[in-house]
Structure formats: structure tokens, C-alpha cells
Amino acid sequence: MPQQRRIHAPLLALALLAGATSRAAPVEVLALGSDGKPLPETVVFLESGEAKAAAKPGGMAEMQQIERRFVPRVLVVVPGTEVRFPNRDKVRHHVYSLSPAKTFELKLYTGTPANPVLFDKPGVAVLGCNIHDNMVGWVVVVETPHHAVAPATGLARLPDVPPGRYRLRVWHAGLPPGTPATESPLEVPAVGVRTQVKLPLTASAL
């Protein structure tokens, strides 16, 4: 009689976890304007109960100031993320936000402030500089690890998304202030999915 092999519970759990991870697939979202052309800097994210549970707090992100601009202009993080605002310019900056999602002020400084800013609740924080009125940036806080900002091609890629049902949310800084992210259902199969969305904006008008 052949000898049966025993699989210990910890090894079985690891095998199941590896199998679940291997089933995750990419989701690609093409963001277009009303003219059908790519819409860079569109924020794309997937929401669900499982995604919210997977959005672990913590970590560090960075939004630099280079040539009197925020780089990147649009930064997406999960709640509990600390963001540094290093000044790479030779002039001083005074970064602030008056948004309900996050109110803070980094008074006139060069280099990197000692204390990063903690973004602890979802929403959109609009950033400015008290010295340079043309400087504007956005920190978008979302309760999901599945998020991306579309590059110049307009194609946002969210890697390793587990199969399931999600709410596809899309937002752009060019929308009227206070406009919430659009929402539509999205079923993600085990092989991944590619879809497209249109916003009432054109890149030329931004």
C-alpha cells in the first residue's frame, strides 16, 4: 500500500496564498477626453470591501518641488501614508492645503521639512504655495491598493488585481472643484481586463 504524504497546515496555507496571488491579473483603463484623445493624469482606482481591507496603512511617499512645480502633480496614496515635500529648487517654498481631506502648512523652507505630512482620511487635498501662486498639486487618498495615475498615453495600469466585482472610480483634477470620482461596476476575471472611460474634459483645455 503506497505511503500517503502529509501536508502540514502552514505549508497548505502558503500554497493557497501563492495560488491566490498567482490568479491576480492586470487591469488596464484607458482614460479619454470628450474628444476621444488620451487624458493624462487621470486617477483610476478600484473599490470593494476586500480592497479596503487590503489597503494597509503606513508607508512613505514623496511630492517634490522642482522648477517651481510639484512633481508629481498628482499623487495617490492610501490612508495612513506619510508624504514628504522636499524642495529641490534654489528658492524657498511655503506648501499648504486648506482642503477638508487634509489641512496643513509647511512654512517657508528649503531642503526637506523634518516632519512628513500624514494623510489619514480619504479625499482630495489640493496643494498650493504661498510664494508661487502658479504652483498647484493634488494628493488623492483612496481606500484601496489598486490605483494608478494615467501617463501621457492615458492608459492606467493596475497590476495584480484579484478577480472579483469592483467599483471603478475615475477622477481628474480638471473636473470642477468638489466633483466626486465617477463610478461604474467592473467585473475583473482571472485573466484581467481592459476597459476605457470618457470624461467631459479635453487635454488641450487643461
Side-chain angles (χ1 to χ4, degrees):
M1 183 175 181
Q3 185 177 3
Q4 293 182 344
R5 297 179 61 188
R6 288 186 178 181
I7 301 178
H8 295 287
L11 295 178
L12 178 60
L14 288 174
L16 292 174
L17 179 60
T21 303
S22 65
R23 287 196 299 270
V27 172
E28 295 182 338
V29 181
L30 179 61
L32 302 174
S34 57
D35 56 359
K37 294 182 179 180
L39 203 59
E41 297 187 324
T42 298
V43 175
V44 174
F45 55 105
L46 297 176
E47 291 183 336
S48 70
E50 293 77 10
K52 183 176 181 179
K56 303 298 184 183
M60 183 76 68
E62 188 172 277
M63 178 179 274
Q64 304 178 69
Q65 296 124 67
I66 301 175
E67 296 182 355
R68 302 185 184 184
R69 295 181 179 182
F70 289 109
V71 179
R73 284 208 320 161
V74 182
L75 176 68
V76 186
V77 300
V78 300
T81 301
E82 292 184 316
V83 179
R84 293 190 182 277
F85 293 91
N87 179 1
R88 308 299 187 197
D89 286 333
K90 295 181 179 179
V91 297
R92 294 184 178 184
H93 290 300
H94 187 145
V95 177
Y96 72 96
S97 170
L98 301 177
S99 302
K102 187 65 182 182
T103 301
F104 71 94
E105 182 180 18
L106 300 175
K107 295 184 178 180
L108 202 64
Y109 71 95
T110 57
T112 302
N115 298 320
V117 178
L118 175 65
F119 288 81
D120 50 2
K121 61 182 180 180
V124 179
V126 184
L127 312 182
C129 175
N130 269 333
I131 309 302
H132 308 102
D133 292 338
N134 64 312
M135 288 180 61
V136 61
W138 295 266
V139 176
V140 184
V141 187
V142 298
E143 295 180 295
T144 172
H146 311 305
H147 56 76
V149 179
T153 61
L155 185 63
R157 191 173 189 273
L158 291 68
D160 300 328
V161 178
R165 295 180 178 178
Y166 295 88
R167 294 181 300 277
L168 172 61
R169 307 292 305 277
V170 179
W171 178 87
H172 196 283
L175 294 169
T179 301
T182 65
E183 180 177 334
S184 59
L186 182 67
E187 182 84 24
V188 178
V191 295
V193 66
R194 179 170 181 171
T195 187
Q196 70 176 40
V197 294
K198 275 193 175 184
L199 293 176
L201 299 168
T202 59
S204 60
L206 298 175

